[in-house]
Amino acid sequence: MQIVKRAALAAVLALAAPMAFAQTITLDGISNMRRSLLSPIYAGNEVKGYVTFARGDKADRKNDNYLLDLYDQDLKKMSSITMQKPSGRYILLKNTFNGSAFAFYFFNSKDETLEIETYDTSLQKLGTKVIGELTKGDLRVLQMQTRAADPAAGGFMMGLNLFPVPGLGFVRNGYTGGMAKGYTLGIYDNKLGLHWRIASNENAKEYESLTLTEAADKYLLGVMLRRDGLLSRKATSYMVALDAKTGKKLLDLPVETKTTEQLSLSSFTFDADKREFVAVGEYYKLDDKPFVNKSQGFYVKRFSEAGKPVSTKNYGWQNEVAALMPAEAKASLEDNYVNYNQAILKGANGHMFVVAEQFKIVGDGLGIAANILNGGHTNASVSKGKVGNLLIFELDQDAKLANVKFYPKTVTNAELPAGTGFMGAGLLGQIMKMQGDFDYQFIQKNDDNTKFNVVYVNFDKEKGEAAKTYVGNIAFGDNGKYTVDKIEIPAGPTASYLYPAKPGYVLIADYLKKKKTLDMRLVKVNN
C-alpha cells in the first residue's frame, strides 16, 4: 500500500498479531472510505463512542445509499440508519459532533447549493438546511476544495467548514467577493436555526481570512490572516476571540506588541483558570528571516480578557533550553529546524506542556527547474517542507522550564502550494498542519487532566531492512514519568487510519477496497 501523508493521514496501520485488542468489528458493503468519515464522540475529554458515515452499495440506478452507524466506546453498535441521495451530486464537506448533535455538511454540485443535516445521539433527525445563492467567493473556494481526495479532512488554508461549538451548535463560514476577499461566519443551533452572522467590512482595503481553531470557555478562538491585496506576498497573523453566544469580536490583535519584536505565532488558546489568552511561537532577531536565520528560542505570551499584555517569557535555545535539551536534539536545531506547536496542555498540578514538531522549508529542485524551463510562468512551488522530530517542553507553575523531552523521527517531505515560500514560519506551519503533513496525530487526555497521550506515526528504515511504519504513543502526566510505545505496522489494507479511543486504547480502521470491508479494532497502549 502506498503511504501518503495527506489530510492528517492518520496513518497507515494494521497492528501486529500479538497485540491484544478489546474488540474488532467488520462492516461490509463499504464502497468508499476516507479518514474523515469516522468520527470519535467525546464526553468531556474522553471518547465514549463513534459515528461512521460511508457510501454503501447503490440503492437503485438513480440513488446512492449512505450508511450512518453509531457505536459505543467498545464498538458495540447502538443504532443505524441509511440515507439516500441522488447519485453523483453530493460531496461531503464535513461531518462533526458538538457534544449533543451530529452535523453532516454537503455540497450539491448540480444545484450549486450547500446542505446541512443534523441528528441527535440516537440518530433521530433534528433539522435540514439548504443554503443557496452562494457568493462567487464561496464557489471559487469550493472548486479548490472539491478537487481534493478528502474534501472533509480540512486540508486547506481556505475552505468551507462547519465548526462544532458545545452547548450552542455549529458555525458555518463563507467568503465574500469574487476573489474571496473577506469572510462570513454564522452559528446555527442543533435544529439549524440561525442565531447570529458576522462578516468582513465590505470597505476594508485588506484581504481577510478567519480560521476558527478552538471553542474554549465562552469564546471562539481563531487566527486571522490579512494581506494588502490579492497578489500580496506578505500575510500577517492576528489573534481573534469572538463571544460564542453573540459573535461579537472581543479580541483582534497581532502577537507582536512592540516594534522591537519579531514573533511567529503557531498556537493560541485560553487558560480558563487564570482567565488569560495564551500565545506560543518562536522569536527572532528583528532583522532575521525565518528559515534563513535560526530562531532565538520560543516564547509564551499572555493577554488579559481585555486584550492587554500580561506577561512575556522567552526561552532561549542557547540558555534555558540548552541546559535541559538532550544532546541528540541539538543537531536538528543547528540544522535550522523550527517548531510547530501541535498542542498546549495544562495538567492538574499547574504544569503546562507544549507539544511541538520540527519542520523546515528548503528549495524544491523539481519546482525550481520547472520555473526555469517555463520562464517563471508556472504554478510549481519552488520550496518544500521537511518534517522532523517531536519535542515536549514542560513548564512548572511559575512558568520555569522544568523538562525537555525529545523523540526522534525519520524526516519526511511535504509539498507546499505555489507562492508560499515567502511566508513566515508560523503561517507555513499552519498550512502544513491543514494539509496533514505532520506526523503528529492527536492528543488523548483523561477528564481530570492528570494523564496525557501524544500519538504520532513514523516511517523508519534500519540498514539492510525494508522501510517500516509504526505508531508512537508518548504517555506522561502529573507523576513526572514519560513512557513510549513503539508499535510496528505491517502493510496490507488499501488504507488504514488511526483514531482516539477510550482511555488506554487507540482505534485502528483498515479499509479493503476489493472486499468492500472496513475492519475497526481497539488496541491497548500504555496510559
Side-chain angles (χ1 to χ4, degrees):
M1 172 175 56
Q2 183 180 10
I3 295 183
V4 187
K5 284 196 311 173
R6 252 312 163 207
L9 177 58
V12 192
L13 321 166
L15 291 184
M19 295 303 300
F21 51 84
Q23 177 133 8
T24 297
I25 189 168
T26 298
L27 306 183
D28 297 313
I30 308 298
S31 62
N32 184 33
M33 175 67 192
R34 304 189 300 261
R35 180 183 190 266
S36 60
L37 301 185
L38 192 157
S39 301
I41 301 169
Y42 286 89
N45 293 332
E46 297 182 358
V47 172
K48 297 300 182 182
Y50 301 91
V51 63
T52 63
F53 181 89
R55 180 181 293 175
D57 293 328
K58 291 182 71 65
D60 52 46
R61 188 173 59 87
K62 295 183 178 181
N63 297 288
D64 291 331
N65 278 329
Y66 292 89
L67 313 176
L68 183 58
D69 297 324
L70 182 66
Y71 299 86
D72 69 9
Q73 63 180 354
D74 297 313
L75 297 184
K76 178 182 176 182
K77 184 181 287 190
M78 306 301 292
S79 55
S80 178
I81 62 173
T82 299
M83 300 182 191
Q84 287 189 1
K85 290 188 176 294
S87 298
R89 292 188 188 183
Y90 285 83
I91 299 171
L92 182 69
L93 300 177
K94 186 73 174 182
N95 59 308
T96 189
F97 178 66
N98 68 2
S100 56
F102 302 100
F104 298 88
Y105 190 28
F106 300 94
F107 174 52
N108 182 332
S109 58
K110 181 178 180 180
D111 298 338
E112 291 192 340
T113 59
L114 297 167
E115 296 183 19
I116 308 173
E117 295 186 16
T118 53
Y119 296 80
D120 66 16
T121 52
S122 63
L123 298 187
Q124 294 296 311
K125 181 176 281 192
L126 295 173
T128 301
K129 182 75 174 179
V130 177
I131 301 163
E133 298 181 357
L134 302 184
T135 68
K136 291 181 180 179
D138 290 333
L139 293 172
R140 180 179 176 85
V141 170
L142 277 166
Q143 286 177 354
M144 296 185 293
Q145 189 170 351
T146 53
R147 290 189 192 122
D150 192 351
F156 301 89
M157 247 346 251
M158 293 174 63
L160 296 184
N161 190 25
L162 206 59
F163 188 84
V165 185
L168 291 178
F170 304 90
V171 176
R172 189 184 78 83
N173 72 320
Y175 295 87
T176 63
M179 303 303 290
K181 180 182 178 182
Y183 69 88
T184 64
L185 294 178
I187 192 167
Y188 296 88
D189 61 26
N190 289 352
K191 294 184 178 180
L192 297 177
L194 180 65
H195 283 254
W196 56 255
R197 183 181 183 275
I198 61 172
S200 293
N201 185 339
E202 292 182 358
N203 298 320
K205 295 181 180 180
E206 297 174 305
Y207 279 66
E208 294 183 327
S209 177
L210 177 57
T211 301
L212 296 182
T213 58
E214 184 179 359
D217 197 72
K218 63 181 181 180
Y219 299 107
L220 297 177
L221 304 183
V223 176
M224 179 87 77
L225 301 180
R226 289 189 170 101
R227 295 173 294 148
D228 291 336
L230 177 63
L231 301 178
S232 174
R233 287 182 169 269
K234 184 178 180 180
T236 304
S237 298
Y238 289 75
M239 303 174 294
V240 172
L242 306 175
D243 184 310
K245 288 186 177 180
T246 66
K248 182 180 178 181
K249 188 186 295 183
L250 304 174
L251 190 74
D252 186 353
L253 291 173
V255 70
E256 296 167 344
T257 53
K258 302 176 182 177
T259 57
T260 55
E261 292 179 321
Q262 185 182 179
L263 310 176
S264 67
L265 174 65
S266 58
S267 294
F268 176 51
T269 189
F270 183 70
D271 185 338
D273 295 328
K274 293 188 175 182
R275 309 304 301 177
E276 293 173 351
F277 296 105
V278 182
V280 181
E282 299 198 1
Y283 65 95
Y284 296 80
K285 293 180 181 179
L286 192 59
D287 297 327
D288 285 351
K289 294 181 179 180
F291 305 116
V292 176
N293 304 105
K294 299 180 180 69
S295 71
Q296 300 298 297
F298 75 95
Y299 70 87
V300 176
K301 203 166 191 176
R302 289 179 171 269
F303 299 82
S304 70
E305 288 186 275
K308 302 297 183 182
V310 174
S311 64
T312 300
K313 175 66 175 175
N314 292 335
Y315 304 87
W317 301 134
Q318 303 304 322
N319 301 311
E320 295 90 345
V321 180
L324 297 171
M325 182 80 80
E328 61 178 337
K330 296 178 181 178
S332 56
L333 291 178
E334 292 300 318
D335 197 19
N336 214 19
Y337 278 90
V338 300
N339 294 324
Y340 182 79
N341 299 319
Q342 298 285 6
I344 301 175
L345 308 167
K346 189 172 183 180
N349 62 355
H351 284 216
M352 188 169 81
F353 303 89
V354 179
V355 180
E357 190 166 7
Q358 295 178 326
F359 76 103
K360 69 177 182 177
I361 307 301
V362 298
D364 183 347
L366 291 176
I368 293 171
N371 271 280
I372 292 173
L373 291 171
N374 289 279
H377 303 293
T378 177
N379 290 326
S381 176
V382 296
S383 58
K384 66 179 180 180
K386 285 186 175 292
V387 177
N389 308 301
L390 274 173
L391 292 140
I392 299 177
F393 302 98
E394 181 179 351
L395 312 178
D396 66 16
Q397 301 95 320
D398 300 316
K400 181 181 178 181
L401 188 63
N403 210 339
V404 179
K405 291 293 182 180
F406 175 75
Y407 302 92
K409 296 192 288 88
T410 299
V411 173
T412 55
N413 295 322
E415 295 180 9
L416 292 174
T420 54
F422 62 87
M423 293 180 177
L427 182 53
L428 276 166
Q430 292 171 32
I431 291 174
M432 290 174 61
K433 173 74 172 181
M434 291 182 181
Q435 290 186 159
D437 293 323
F438 287 109
D439 297 322
Y440 165 89
Q441 299 295 295
F442 52 79
I443 291 283
Q444 295 192 155
K445 54 186 178 180
N446 61 4
D447 275 337
D448 58 11
N449 289 320
T450 59
K451 293 181 180 179
F452 306 100
N453 289 74
V454 175
V455 180
Y456 63 97
V457 293
N458 197 7
F459 308 88
D460 202 3
K461 185 175 183 180
E462 299 292 340
K463 187 175 181 180
E465 296 184 4
K468 297 177 181 178
T469 305
Y470 65 82
V471 176
N473 170 59
I474 307 165
F476 59 96
D478 283 2
N479 60 9
K481 297 180 180 179
Y482 289 78
T483 59
V484 182
D485 287 330
K486 185 176 178 179
I487 306 167
E488 185 179 330
I489 307 162
T494 306
S496 302
Y497 307 101
L498 177 66
Y499 302 88
K502 63 184 180 180
Y505 290 82
V506 294
L507 174 67
I508 308 302
D510 293 329
Y511 176 59
L512 289 85
K513 186 174 183 178
K514 288 185 177 180
K515 293 184 177 180
K516 292 186 178 181
T517 60
L518 179 68
D519 295 326
M520 298 190 295
R521 47 186 152 175
L522 294 167
V523 182
K524 190 168 181 59
V525 296
N526 283 330
N527 189 38

